[in-house]
């Protein structure tokens, strides 16, 4: 006969602790049913679930573990686990799991407390908490784009994932922190393609508004752009109206704008990291190939689909050639690229800010509304509003130490 015992070890961390304790268990041929260890600021917490013989046979094991722990200045505690509790624990391993990722400039106790309360209210249990971002100096405050990310692994059924997403989104907006919830499945750790919108996503401007400002029709074009991005106007109709206002603009203006495109915070780090990891990267834009191809050369982007401007005698005609890239076209292109690359839609990341991005965000495994219009944030499954594009790395479960040598 045997009994199950939980061994908890705490104290100052140092090399050799795990080796010393497990060597004792090995000498007595003790099965280890589960093991977990974490260290925060050199403070160790080690847990071992073991199976020990009953009727005094475990006494020598307990004695050696106590002596060894005491010699290393550690506290050790033994807790018997009854059979029913153990079987319930085994059964729990089949429960659904989700990952909640907190993103912000700083993660404070209130952020974690309120997110944990939302989880608890829905009967979910937090299994694990890990910080994904690196340690920050409290002396050196010269880090204008510092990021903080904490990941919570939770266990339990989520009957309405949309409702949970909505609750976390509302909470994040109040606290000025982003909170994403994802199913913890194999696809989350196996994305292979990322598709970006360009204007107000990869770059911090709407290029058509830049062109309109030079042409002297900035106010008219900006009003149409905003209405289209909010979903109030059909994209193709609004696009043709805006293009007509640009007729006669000299091509030299475009070259100047392309050279000074304001790149979104975190874009360089995100794309460099994903490219080094073998991801394919695409721009699917309702903007213009003239500017998207400029970004393609800068970032080494694999696919570019946007609207091709028409010129006559070095001036814009107010028309584009080929099919207009609207929301439906973006979704079609995303599917086509995924098929070409031999990957599933669940392995695709799509990132955009406007209403015409919703079709591709809805079919991608990870669709992210980035600093988006309210209608997009409400309808997308995930949203980032407080940090740059490299916040996406943490939604993929990456840690700073994992990507430090890649860029």
């Amino acid at each position: 006969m045997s009994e199950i015992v939980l061994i908890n070890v705490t104290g100052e961390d140092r090399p050799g602790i795990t080796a010393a304790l497990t060597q004792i268990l090995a000498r007595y041929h003790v099965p280890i049913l589960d093991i977990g260890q974490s260290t925060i600021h050199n403070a160790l917490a080690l847990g071992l679930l073991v199976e020990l013989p009953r009727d005094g046979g475990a006494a020598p094991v307990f004695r050696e573990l106590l002596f060894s722990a005491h010699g290393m200045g550690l506290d050790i505690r033994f807790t018997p686990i009854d059979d029913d509790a153990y079987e319930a624990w085994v059964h729990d391993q089949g429960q659904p799991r989700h990952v909640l990722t907190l993103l912000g400039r700083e993660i404070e106790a209130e952020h974690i407390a309120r997110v944990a309360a939302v989880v608890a209210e829905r009967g979910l249990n937090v299994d694990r908490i890990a910080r994904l971002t690196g340690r920050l100096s409290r002396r050196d405050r010269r880090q204008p784009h510092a990021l903080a990310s904490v990941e919570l692994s939770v266990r339990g059924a989520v009957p309405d994932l949309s409702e949970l997403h909505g609750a976390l989104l509302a909470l994040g907006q109040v606290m000025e922190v982003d909170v994403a919830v994802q199913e913890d499945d194999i696809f989350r750790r196996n994305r292979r393609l990322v598709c970006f919108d360009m204007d107000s996503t990869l770059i911090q401007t709407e290029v058509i508004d830049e062109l309109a400002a030079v042409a002297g029709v900035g106010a008219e074009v900006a009003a149409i752009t905003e209405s289209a991005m909010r979903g109030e106007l059909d994209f193709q109709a609004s696009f043709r109206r805006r293009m007509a206002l640009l007729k006669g603009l000299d091509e030299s203006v475009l070259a100047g704008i392309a050279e000074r495109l304001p790149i979104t915070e975190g874009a360089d780090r995100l794309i460099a990291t994903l490219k080094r990891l073998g991801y394919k990267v695409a721009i699917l834009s309702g903007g213009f190939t003239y500017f998207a191809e400029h970004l393609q050369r800068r970032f080494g982007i694999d696919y570019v689909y946007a609207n091709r401007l028409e010129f006559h005698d070095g001036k814009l005609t107010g028309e584009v050639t080929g099919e207009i890239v609207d929301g439906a076209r973006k979704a079609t292109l995303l599917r086509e690229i995924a098929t070409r690359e031999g990957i599933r839609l669940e392995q695709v990341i799509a990132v955009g800010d406007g209403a015409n991005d919703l079709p591709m965000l809805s079919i991608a495994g990870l669709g992210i509304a980035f600093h988006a219009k309210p209608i997009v944030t409400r309808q997308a499954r995930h949203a980032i509003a407080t940090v740059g594009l490299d916040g996406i790395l943490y939604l993929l479960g990456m840690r700073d130490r994992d990507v430090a040598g890649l860029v």
Side-chain angles (χ1 to χ4, degrees), residues 3-9 25 30-36 45-52 62 65 76-82 86 89:
E3 64 177 336
I4 299 170
V5 176
L6 175 61
I7 304 171
N8 292 108
V9 182
L25 297 174
V30 173
I32 296 178
L33 305 176
D34 196 16
I35 184 169
L46 169 63
L48 302 108
L49 193 66
V50 301
E51 192 171 6
L52 294 170
F62 289 146
L65 289 171
I76 188 166
R77 186 174 74 251
F78 304 98
T79 306
I81 306 296
D82 69 52
Y86 175 77
W89 174 78

Side-chain angles (χ1 to χ4, degrees), residues 385-406:
T386 63
V387 300
L389 280 170
D390 52 346
I392 293 171
L393 294 172
Y394 307 108
L395 298 188
L396 301 176
M398 297 185 194
R399 300 170 183 258
D400 280 353
R401 66 172 181 261
D402 298 330
V403 302
L406 297 178

Side-chain angles (χ1 to χ4, degrees), residues 21-48:
L21 298 178
T22 54
Q23 283 168 8
I24 294 170
L25 297 174
R27 281 200 300 274
Y28 289 93
H29 306 288
V30 173
I32 296 178
L33 305 176
D34 196 16
I35 184 169
Q37 178 175 314
S38 65
T39 305
I40 299 178
H41 203 268
N42 295 325
L44 169 73
L46 169 63
L48 302 108

Side-chain angles (χ1 to χ4, degrees), residues 86-393:
Y86 175 77
E87 292 303 323
W89 174 78
V90 170
H91 179 266
D92 282 349
Q93 68 185 338
Q95 287 192 331
R97 292 179 182 272
H98 291 78
V99 170
L100 275 63
T101 309
L102 281 70
L103 280 169
R105 298 300 177 184
E106 282 191 305
I107 301 298
E108 300 176 355
E110 182 183 7
H111 298 147
I112 297 174
R114 296 183 69 174
V115 168
V118 169
V119 168
E121 288 165 2
R122 286 154 181 80
L124 304 174
N125 186 61
V126 177
D127 273 346
R128 178 182 56 82
I129 302 176
R131 184 181 178 89
L132 302 181
T133 44
R135 301 167 183 168
L136 296 177
S137 171
R138 305 306 294 175
R139 295 177 180 175
D140 183 6
R141 300 286 185 168
R142 296 170 298 175
Q143 302 178 53
H145 300 307
L147 296 176
S149 181
V150 172
E151 180 181 275
L152 285 72
S153 176
V154 302
R155 172 170 36 89
V158 180
D160 189 342
L161 191 58
S162 296
E163 184 277 331
L164 177 58
H165 164 74
L168 293 171
L169 176 63
L171 186 61
Q173 290 173 336
V174 171
M175 299 189 301
E176 296 185 349
V177 66
D178 297 316
V179 188
V181 56
Q182 302 176 66
E183 293 182 48
D184 191 12
D185 57 23
I186 192 171
F187 297 114
R188 175 176 175 265
R189 300 180 293 276
N190 194 30
R191 313 289 187 196
R192 305 307 306 153
L193 166 68
V194 57
C195 298
F196 292 103
D197 173 47
M198 180 174 67
D199 297 61
S200 296
T201 300
L202 267 183
I203 57 176
Q204 292 181 305
T205 189
E206 293 284 335
V207 170
I208 198 167
D209 292 344
E210 298 283 332
L211 296 173
V214 177
V217 291
E220 297 96 312
V221 168
I224 299 171
T225 299
E226 279 298 309
S227 186
M229 291 299 99
R230 290 193 300 266
E232 297 169 356
L233 289 176
D234 170 75
F235 181 83
Q236 291 211 19
S238 69
F239 183 77
R240 295 188 187 282
R241 284 173 56 186
R242 287 176 287 173
M243 284 302 306
L245 292 170
L246 300 179
K247 183 178 181 178
L249 194 62
D250 197 273
E251 185 175 358
S252 62
V253 172
L254 280 71
I257 291 174
E259 290 300 321
R260 60 175 188 272
L261 289 175
I263 305 300
T264 298
E265 175 197 340
D268 289 278
R269 180 176 179 236
L270 172 64
I271 296 176
T273 298
L274 296 184
K275 291 289 291 181
R276 291 292 296 273
L277 291 172
Y279 279 65
K280 295 296 184 179
V281 181
I283 291 177
L284 307 181
S285 173
F288 308 113
T289 55
Y290 189 100
F291 303 96
E293 289 170 355
H294 178 84
L295 295 176
Q296 182 178 33
R297 292 187 290 271
R298 169 171 176 160
F299 291 117
I301 288 171
D302 302 284
Y303 297 96
V304 166
Y305 292 94
N307 299 300
R308 190 166 297 278
L309 293 165
E310 183 180 78
F311 294 91
H312 181 70
D313 293 334
K315 298 183 183 298
L316 291 178
T317 66
E319 301 286 342
V320 294
T321 62
E323 186 176 354
I324 291 175
V325 179
D326 59 5
R329 180 65 177 152
K330 287 186 179 188
T332 298
L333 289 166
L334 185 150
R335 290 182 184 275
E336 290 177 356
I337 296 171
T339 300
R340 190 177 312 166
E341 293 295 334
I343 63 175
R344 296 168 57 113
L345 291 177
E346 291 92 339
Q347 295 176 276
V348 181
I349 306 164
V351 190
D353 73 296
N356 65 323
D357 295 311
L358 281 170
M360 74 171 181
L361 298 186
S362 68
I363 64 172
L366 180 61
I368 303 168
F370 181 75
H371 291 258
K373 310 299 183 291
I375 186 176
V376 184
T377 300
R378 287 193 301 270
Q379 294 187 35
R381 293 194 298 272
H382 311 282
I384 292 178
T386 63
V387 300
L389 280 170
D390 52 346
I392 293 171
L393 294 172

